[in-house]
Amino acid sequence: MDDFAKTSRRAFLRGSAAVAAGTVAGKAAAQDAPDPLITELQDWATFTGYGVDETPYGLPIKYEDDVVRRNVAWLTASPISSINFTPIHALEGTITPQGCAFERHHSGAIELTKDDYRLMINGLVDRPLVFTYADLERLPRENHVYFCECAANTGMEWAGAQLNGAQFTHGMIHNMEYTGVPLRALLAEAGLDAAGDLSDKWVYVEGADASSNGRSIPMEKALDDVLVAFKANGEALRMEHGYPVRLVVPGWEGNMWVKWLRRIEITDAAVESREETSKYTDVYEDGTARKWTWEMDAKSVVTSPSPQMPITHGTGPLVISGLAWSGHGKITRVDVSIDGGVNWQTARLGKQGDTKALTRFYLDIEWDGSPMFLQSRAIDETGYVQPTKEALREARGENSVYHNNCIQTWYVNEEGVAENVEVS
Ligand SMILES: Nc1nc2c(c(=O)[nH]1)N[C@H]1C(S)=C(S)[C@@H](COP(=O)(O)O)O[C@H]1N2
Ligand SMILES: [Mo]
């Protein structure tokens, strides 16, 4: 052991002694009455457990059965054209398990087999092509972690604090590791010479479901980081996320991430489809519309404590935790305030450097039991700072639904109970 290691070990031991003497709740085992969970033989050590084939594909243990997607019944008229929310308040790290990642369908999720799958590329290409699923598997593929956020995430909060839980205010987001073929590789197979000057060309993408959910993507983005993905978090996409193939459009609004991708057309103008005109567009106070709002601006939220995650351990050490992301690249800093934005402390990032992916942040404090107005604000690599709700309303007016990336406030009372409030 070299000198540095010795000193840091001594420092660490001193540190842990101080912690044991302090307020962390680990019980002083020797002093308490015997704990039957330690001294008595338990059932789980008396009998044998389940065999290896009990669940060929495992589900979470029953004690975690409240960590599920949830919807808000009054939001939409039918579950066929609706949305539910990722339980972000109860998850940790950054990867969203597919089984609880939010779903958004315009005409329901469809069952499409790999055998029945066809992907057509047509329009201004040298060779119109049709790919089968097996064809896609033969092209060079890549792996990337990206967040997918519906532009409507937090949309219900424009006028005032409304939904009581991070799952409902910020849960139209998931973050997965995708495996897929870069769209540019497919376009190269079809050949883009026929398209001529690419700077003003568009790529129209649509799904195989009844809604088709068609969107126009500028050629520059299509040739950049868009993926034609067939795996998420190492396994096949789930039906609800577009099995067998979906589009991944990093940093851009979820609506463009076409599921059950069936056709890609090279065009010389945007199609101006329903999903990019009357929907997924916001209207300013003067009646004019914001056009082509593709990128998801930097945003963050404290996931714990939050209304569904009250503080139950009393005063003392408290881990404040949350998520930050930006469609413009990396998160470089997250600040946390416990007094409604008067004072800010720089949070610790769980891991640095993911681009267009969720970043986990932590602020470890000693909570003295005073009420808190908890906020977080994200800063991305462009220097952009997540705005207050007031600033956002000033810039956009109050008619908006989409692209609400304002700072969220949770009021935490002396009991540790949290609720959604507004402090602007
Ligand atoms: N084909 C198709 N693609 C679609 C949709 C759809 O209804 N049909 N919904 C879009 C919307 S609005 C969003 S936010 C994302 C949601 O992806 P998810 O259901 O995997 O969360 O898919 C997009 N892609
Ligand atoms: Mo969406």
Side-chain angles (χ1 to χ4, degrees), residues 267-334:
T267 62
D268 56 10
V271 166
E272 311 251 3
S273 69
R274 171 185 184 271
E275 300 296 323
E276 56 200 16
T277 52
S278 76
K279 305 292 169 190
Y280 297 95
T281 295
D282 287 306
V283 179
Y284 288 118
E285 291 293 300
D286 67 1
T288 59
R290 295 176 78 218
K291 207 178 181 190
W292 305 142
T293 49
W294 301 308
E295 275 145 325
M296 302 309 296
D297 292 326
K299 185 165 168 179
S300 69
V301 65
V302 171
T303 52
S304 177
S306 65
Q308 297 156 290
M309 291 292 273
I311 304 170
T312 53
H313 56 55
T315 57
L318 169 68
V319 176
I320 298 171
S321 176
L323 292 167
W325 60 95
S326 169
H328 298 270
K330 297 177 182 121
I331 289 295
T332 49
R333 202 177 94 202
V334 180

Side-chain angles (χ1 to χ4, degrees), residues 7-243:
T7 7
S8 51
R9 182 167 154 75
R10 245 180 266 125
F12 171 76
L13 290 174
R14 262 203 312 279
S16 50
V19 166
T23 49
V24 168
K27 275 192 196 154
Q31 289 151 25
D32 282 350
D35 180 347
L37 282 168
I38 299 169
T39 58
E40 305 289 310
L41 194 57
Q42 303 293 324
D43 274 1
W44 54 79
T46 309
F47 306 105
T48 54
Y50 297 103
V52 289
D53 287 334
E54 181 68 20
T55 49
Y57 194 100
L59 288 170
I61 195 164
K62 60 189 175 197
Y63 312 124
E64 298 291 323
D65 65 1
D66 59 335
V67 184
V68 290
R69 300 186 271 239
R70 290 181 197 284
N71 69 12
V72 173
W74 55 261
L75 269 183
T76 51
S78 150
I80 301 302
S81 179
S82 191
I83 186 132
N84 58 21
F85 302 86
T86 307
I88 54 168
H89 63 289
L91 300 177
E92 255 297 341
T94 58
I95 296 295
T96 316
Q98 286 201 71
C100 66
F102 87 94
E103 311 164 70
R104 167 77 174 109
H105 316 309
H106 289 74
S107 52
I110 57 169
E111 287 180 331
L112 182 57
T113 67
K114 286 178 182 169
D115 282 347
D116 290 343
Y117 182 75
R118 297 290 183 275
L119 173 58
M120 177 183 288
I121 303 189
N122 69 333
L124 301 172
V125 290
D126 307 336
R127 294 170 294 280
L129 292 175
V130 174
F131 294 87
T132 63
Y133 186 86
D135 293 334
L136 292 179
E137 285 186 305
R138 299 182 65 187
L139 291 160
R141 62 186 89 130
E142 297 179 4
N143 298 293
H144 297 276
V145 177
Y146 294 122
F147 76 81
C148 171
E149 183 184 18
C150 179
N153 200 20
T154 322
M156 290 79 77
E157 305 290 311
W158 271 103
Q162 178 141 244
L163 298 172
N164 217 23
Q167 177 169 18
F168 304 111
T169 55
H170 290 75
M172 292 183 195
I173 192 162
H174 50 61
N175 192 65
M176 305 189 197
E177 185 196 42
Y178 294 97
T179 303
V181 178
L183 176 55
R184 83 179 92 79
L186 295 187
L187 297 181
E189 293 278 317
L192 291 175
D193 290 342
D197 177 9
L198 295 181
S199 65
D200 60 355
K201 298 302 179 299
W202 293 75
V203 178
Y204 186 69
V205 286
E206 66 180 18
D209 53 327
S211 80
S212 90
N213 194 73
R215 289 292 304 250
S216 311
I217 301 175
M219 180 63 82
E220 191 188 354
K221 177 70 172 176
L223 295 176
D224 182 13
D225 53 5
V226 177
L227 282 181
V228 174
F230 42 86
K231 302 274 166 164
N233 298 341
E235 60 179 357
L237 289 163
R238 297 284 168 87
M239 170 187 73
E240 57 271 36
H241 300 124
Y243 180 93

